[in-house]
């Protein structure tokens, strides 16, 4: 069957045209202008789940780079009648913090008109938001892909951000039934949508600051250094403004032996329990610490404390460095004394 491009555009949606049509240009025998002819054809070999998922992820990344909000939403789970994405419990995945004002500004939208985009962005963690919503990767490549049955697919991508930081993004995609326009009517088709995207540093905790280190790697490096009582390494990942206030390193070590930060030094366990990308240049991580205070003996029960790490992108150097660490719930000071609140 052959139809003119005008007719095909009227009766087929963009997605369906991409999958069942191809376009070729020809010049009429009378030397007239070039005409476009659409031809329906049966695919010689249906795309596998991995190939279909990979195509959808690539197109989503392109839509994010182009700041095309309607196109971006087409690759994410359908919203409800109120424009909200499905709840985390209904999807079986966690819902991540999203700064609505910052996301809206990154896409050039008014806050009140970006509710659907902000809701959809909750399936992207802090690292994925920073790489895809706040910036455009300078390069990316597929590391691995895996289909889990016919309805689920997972793909891991290496991405390099505009500032030079490197990360691995894991896309989890599921098939969703959707209504599509088909010639002389409509029908139900199944398409992959991105259910959840998480990011992680490329390697182990770094030994020193580097443009390739994302803020997650900076926090990890300081936590491992605190567990090992390596004060110099902790201090190396502090921002210049932070070091100017807390340095030199000997004074910095003294501060770490003072409550409430003494729980961090040589802690039995330090782990990130929550993270958030507040803007393109600011990252927060909530760290749970389990350890004892300076001067406690081995029989003293371990304490559980929470601290908030603030990591910022340095404009001049392009490095992610820690600008401060504060107790999430500071304990009350002993009567008649005060507890200094030091930045790391």
């Amino acid at each position: 069957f052959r139809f003119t491009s005008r007719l095909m555009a009227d009766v087929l949606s963009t997605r369906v045209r991409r999958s069942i049509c191809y376009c070729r240009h020809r010049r009429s025998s009378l030397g007239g202008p070039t005409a476009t002819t659409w031809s329906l054809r049966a695919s010689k070999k249906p795309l596998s789940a991995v190939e279909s998922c990979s195509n959808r992820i690539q197109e989503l990344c392109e839509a994010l780079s182009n700041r095309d909000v309607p196109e971006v939403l087409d690759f994410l789970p359908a919203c409800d009648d109120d424009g909200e994405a499905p709840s985390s419990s209904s999807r079986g995945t966690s819902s991540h913090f999203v700064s609505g004002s910052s996301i809206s500004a990154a896409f050039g939208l008014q806050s009140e008109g970006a509710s659907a985009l902000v809701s959809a962005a909750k399936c992207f963690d802090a690292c994925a938001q920073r790489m895809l919503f706040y910036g455009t990767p300078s390069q990316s490549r597929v590391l691995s892909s895996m289909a889990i049955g016919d309805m689920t697919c997972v793909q891991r991508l290496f991405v390099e951000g505009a500032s030079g930081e490197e990360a691995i993004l894991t896309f989890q995609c599921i098939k969703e039934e959707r209504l599509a326009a088909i010639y002389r009517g409509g029908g139900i088709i199944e398409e992959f949508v991105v259910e959840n995207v998480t990011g992680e540093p490329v390697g182990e905790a770094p030994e020193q600051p580097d443009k390739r280190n994302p803020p997650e790697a900076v926090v990890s490096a300081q936590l491992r250094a605190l567990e090992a009582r390596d004060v110099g390494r902790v201090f190396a990942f502090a921002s210049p403004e932070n070091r100017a206030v807390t340095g030199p390193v000997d004074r910095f070590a003294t501060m770490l032996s003072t409550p409430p930060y003494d729980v961090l030094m040589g802690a039995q366990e330090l782990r990130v329990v929550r993270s958030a990308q507040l803007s393109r240049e600011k990252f927060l991580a909530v760290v749970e610490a389990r350890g004892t205070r300076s001067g406690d003996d081995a029989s003293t029960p371990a304490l559980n404390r929470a601290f908030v790490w603030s990591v910022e992108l340095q404009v001049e150097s392009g490095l992610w460095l820690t600008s401060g660490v504060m107790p999430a719930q500071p304990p009350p000071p002993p009567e008649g004394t005060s507890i200094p609140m030091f930045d790391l």
Side-chain angles (χ1 to χ4, degrees):
F1 302 93
R2 293 183 179 275
F3 304 87
T4 64
S5 59
R6 182 183 298 275
L7 178 60
M8 292 298 290
D10 291 340
V11 299
L12 294 178
S13 69
T14 301
R15 293 287 170 208
V16 176
R17 288 206 309 274
R18 287 181 181 174
S19 61
I20 67 174
C21 302
Y22 70 93
C23 171
R24 63 191 177 106
H25 296 273
R26 61 177 176 82
R27 185 168 294 277
S28 67
S29 58
L30 298 178
T34 300
T36 301
T37 301
W38 292 91
S39 301
L40 289 179
R41 65 177 182 181
S43 176
K44 294 181 180 179
K45 182 181 179 181
L47 293 178
S48 67
V50 168
E51 291 171 328
S52 179
C53 177
S54 182
N55 289 344
R56 294 282 288 173
I57 292 173
Q58 180 180 355
E59 291 172 352
L60 168 61
C61 293
E62 291 175 357
L64 285 166
S65 298
N66 296 331
R67 297 296 187 256
D68 189 337
V69 176
E71 191 81 356
V72 169
L73 296 178
D74 185 58
F75 295 98
L76 303 177
C79 296
D80 58 24
D81 295 337
D82 297 325
E84 294 291 327
S87 64
S88 58
S89 59
S90 65
R91 297 198 314 265
T93 58
S94 59
S95 178
H96 304 285
F97 172 84
V98 176
S99 173
S101 59
S102 297
I103 289 287
S104 301
F107 277 72
L109 302 173
Q110 297 294 327
S111 297
E112 59 271 14
S115 58
L117 178 65
V118 171
S119 179
K122 292 179 181 178
C123 65
F124 294 74
D125 74 354
C127 182
Q129 289 177 30
R130 185 175 62 256
M131 287 292 191
L132 301 176
F133 283 80
Y134 290 106
T136 301
S138 58
Q139 62 171 308
S140 63
R141 66 175 183 272
V142 177
L143 298 178
S144 62
S145 301
M146 178 179 65
I148 306 174
D150 296 329
M151 304 298 292
T152 305
C153 188
V154 178
Q155 186 172 91
R156 300 175 77 243
L157 271 68
F158 164 85
V159 294
E160 180 180 326
S163 64
E165 66 173 291
E166 298 176 350
I168 296 175
L169 299 184
T170 301
F171 291 76
Q172 181 175 333
C173 303
I174 60 171
K175 278 187 177 180
E176 183 178 81
E177 289 187 346
R178 295 188 167 190
L179 180 64
I182 301 178
Y183 176 58
R184 291 186 178 179
I188 302 296
I189 63 173
E190 288 184 340
E191 283 190 315
F192 275 109
V193 295
V194 176
E195 183 185 40
N196 192 40
V197 186
T198 57
E200 60 185 297
V202 173
E204 299 294 331
E207 296 292 332
Q208 58 187 4
D210 192 291
K211 285 186 177 181
R212 293 172 295 180
N213 299 334
E216 293 86 355
V218 172
V219 175
S220 178
Q222 290 192 307
L223 297 186
R224 302 293 81 79
L226 285 167
E227 290 174 340
R229 299 181 181 273
D230 188 344
V231 177
R233 187 179 170 194
V234 177
F235 191 66
F237 286 92
S239 67
E241 294 80 4
N242 193 339
R243 284 198 250 182
V245 174
T246 61
V249 67
D250 292 340
R251 179 170 178 265
F252 183 71
T254 302
M255 292 179 182
L256 287 177
S257 64
T258 304
Y261 298 105
D262 53 351
V263 176
L264 296 171
M265 286 296 291
Q268 299 175 12
E269 183 182 16
L270 294 171
R271 65 188 184 98
V272 176
V273 295
R274 188 77 167 170
S275 62
Q277 193 69 33
L278 299 188
S279 67
R280 182 180 178 274
E281 300 85 9
K282 189 165 186 178
F283 170 87
L284 293 183
V286 178
V287 173
E288 185 179 77
R290 180 175 173 80
T292 57
R293 291 183 173 180
S294 176
D296 290 345
D297 55 37
S299 61
T300 303
L303 300 174
N304 290 318
R305 293 287 185 267
F307 295 84
V308 178
W309 250 254
S310 177
V311 187
E312 297 185 11
L313 181 63
Q314 308 302 303
V315 177
E316 295 184 359
S317 64
L319 298 171
W320 284 97
L321 296 172
T322 299
S323 58
V325 175
M326 298 294 289
Q329 295 179 344
E335 185 177 355
T337 64
S338 61
I339 297 179
M341 305 301 285
F342 297 115
D343 282 344
L344 280 178

